[in-house]
Amino acid sequence: MKFAIVDSKKVEAFKGAKGFCQSCGAEMIAKCGDFKINHWAHKKIRQCDTWWETETEWHREWKGNFPIEWQEVIQFDSSTNEKHIADVRTDKGLVIEFQYSHINPVERRQRENFYKNMIWIVDGTRLQRDIPRFIKAQKDFVPIDIPKIFGVEFADECFPKNWLDSSVPVIFDFKGEVPLDNTKNNKTFLYCIFPIKIGWLTIFTEISRKALIKSIIDGEWQTRYDNFINNVVELNKLKAQQAKQELERQQAHARFEFNQRLLGRISTRGRRRF
């Protein structure tokens, strides 16, 4: 863990320090060395939160974008007495979980059900094939009638399959190596999959790292997300209406053609009688 309680304060690990776990209250000791990032570890038990994973510099870099009081916040469900440590929880109640290692789909769904109002930020470079697969799939991206929004039909050919049925937004951090526009600064862009589709298309957007962080800190993320979902819902309705109208047009045209052929046959039969 990044923080422990020392003298009633949330403190980062430093050499020789001792503290207490803010989740279970057990004694913690600071682990500070040359090869691993400084962290707190339980003195007698391995871990009090089964959802916790060993942190990397990537985790710490992301957490560091947010106020200390938002980092490693205890979340408690009084109805089940279940307790977990959110990587980040904003003052608006938005939980952000940073995931580097593989996560079991069952646990992923459990976290989403527990936190509810949350987003995932996933390291998109965990496997060697992740970036090449995403780059190769860019030719199949379909622009949607909403600015900076794209769709892709075979999403598992460009994004890790285990994340595609998430019930919350999933943001992939490819460390900026694959911007859709090669003229852009390639150190800033992230790719966010939304839990909504347009037909067969999985919907995602390109968003700058700076813009994402700012929208979360300013409390604007939820409003923008809700507006986007509403826009997609309306677009779905419009496309459904257009598809219905097109089907009705085709059916009317087919009936017209059939009637014309039928009238032609009747007319021909009539002429043969005389």
Side-chain angles (χ1 to χ4, degrees), residues 118-235:
M118 69 168 293
I119 60 176
W120 291 100
I121 297 182
V122 177
D123 189 329
T125 66
R126 187 176 70 86
L127 300 178
Q128 289 186 347
R129 68 176 181 269
D130 286 343
I131 290 178
R133 175 177 57 186
F134 186 86
I135 293 174
K136 182 179 180 180
Q138 287 188 9
K139 67 181 185 301
D140 299 319
F141 293 168
V142 179
I144 304 300
D145 298 334
I146 303 174
K148 298 183 179 180
I149 303 298
F150 302 86
V152 62
E153 185 171 359
F154 301 103
D156 58 339
E157 295 183 0
C158 58
F159 296 109
K161 185 177 181 179
N162 284 347
W163 293 99
L164 297 180
D165 63 345
S166 175
S167 61
V168 300
V170 180
I171 300 173
F172 291 92
D173 179 8
F174 292 108
K175 293 184 169 56
E177 296 182 37
V178 286
L180 297 180
D181 182 344
N182 292 327
T183 65
K184 295 176 182 177
N185 182 339
N186 66 356
K187 296 298 181 184
T188 59
F189 287 94
L190 308 164
Y191 300 88
C192 178
I193 293 179
F194 297 102
I196 190 169
K197 288 190 174 185
I198 296 179
W200 294 102
L201 297 178
T202 294
I203 306 303
F204 70 97
T205 187
E206 177 189 77
I207 183 172
S208 78
R209 193 178 307 263
K210 182 178 179 180
L212 173 68
I213 294 169
K214 184 178 185 300
S215 70
I216 293 172
I217 291 177
D218 292 348
E220 298 175 354
W221 165 266
Q222 193 63 49
T223 299
R224 293 184 179 185
Y225 174 69
D226 291 342
N227 288 339
F228 167 77
I229 294 298
N230 290 335
N231 287 338
V232 172
V233 169
E234 291 303 315
L235 184 60

